[in-house]
Amino acid sequence: MIAAVLAAAVAATCPLEHPSGAPGCTRAEVDALPMNAIQAIGTHNSYKMAIAPNEWAMIHAVDAKAADSLDYSKPPLATQLDQGARQLEIDIVYDPDVGLYANPLGYRQGKGQVPYDFTPLKTPGLKVLHEPSVDYRSVCPLFVQCLKDVRTWSLAHPDHVPILIILNLKEGGLSIPGATKAPLFDAKAMDSIDAEIRSVFPADALITPDQVQGAYPTLREAVAAGAWPRLGAARGKVMIALDCPPDQVARYREDRKVLEGRAAFVNIDESSPAAGYITLNEPKEQSARIAAAVKAGIIVRTRADADTWEARADDTTRQAAAFASGAQYVSTDYLRPDERFGPYVAKLPGGGAARLDPVQPDR
């Protein structure tokens, strides 16, 4: 009830990052909202550069549909944040021996190679890429650099609503001769995720599972009781979540009851004691589940479009369902139109980076 009462005081058109000062839209009223009572827009595969034309042509000759689904790219992370993205998605791979990803198959086989600086891929640390052999170009090839880019922008814009950074942990690769296979994220690799996060973001810049859980027995009980920080306390901070399958989540949690000491939330079933975040990417088919999760206090990410199909057809049906679903973060590949495909763009209803969520948590 608390969230509903506070939300009623904030007009649907009130800008959450720059309150107008009008009745129902003062900074104090907006900052009293829990951080899960807002909805923001973000980007999918936020690090991804375009595949080089010669390499894309090779992929297209083998599988045109797959090539078309990969035919998108993003500007630097700071540009996306300037454009209003408050959720970013970063794919990381483990590189225990250093240099595993520095000579990819696509680059070796492409005729008329398009230059790319592989130097960062020859240095220690987690790497950022989509697929090790054919879709490896990144605006920030090192995970730490991606985090530093966000941190720099955040420090320059301290009033931003909390930024959700979603991590996908990539393992394996293409089953073709000469392809690179990303190794399993073992215990050491999982610990390195937290270590690299904490090397960039100090404790007072992170929203962590322990912080939200507080004295509650489980994270699930905490979020159900409305324990998310108020927006005023969450401004200028980031929340990180692993969007991973159950086996990776289990490896990240190890023998923890919840997520004790971990830097990131995890994508997990709503009944789990570690439930605080969940990825539900089908806003039409999963609309009821999304709404129920939001009402239960869980933060949800869904997608407005996928695989370039909506952009090519200028179809806004999925994004309308995504924004109506109540998911707090709605991801797109098109904060700006791709002129090759047409006018398709995904924008938060009413514009801006964040608004009051149309589906409010129970507390």
Side-chain angles (χ1 to χ4, degrees), residues 17 34 45 83 95 119-120 161 194 198 225 252-253 256 284 300 306 319-320 336 347:
E17 289 197 347
N45 286 351
Q83 292 173 346
D95 190 15
T119 304
V161 299
D194 283 9
R198 296 188 191 279
Y252 185 69
R253 291 179 69 192
R256 293 170 175 82
K284 292 186 286 185
V300 182
Q319 74 166 266
R336 296 290 186 273
K347 292 185 178 181

Side-chain angles (χ1 to χ4, degrees), residues 186-187 189-195 198 207-211 251-254 256 258-266:
D186 57 17
M190 292 297 186
D191 287 344
S192 72
I193 295 172
D194 283 9
R198 296 188 191 279
I207 298 164
T208 65
D210 284 343
Q211 178 192 125
R251 276 180 263 145
Y252 185 69
R253 291 179 69 192
E254 294 183 307
R256 293 170 175 82
V258 186
L259 285 162
E260 295 85 355
R262 283 304 196 191
F265 294 78
V266 292

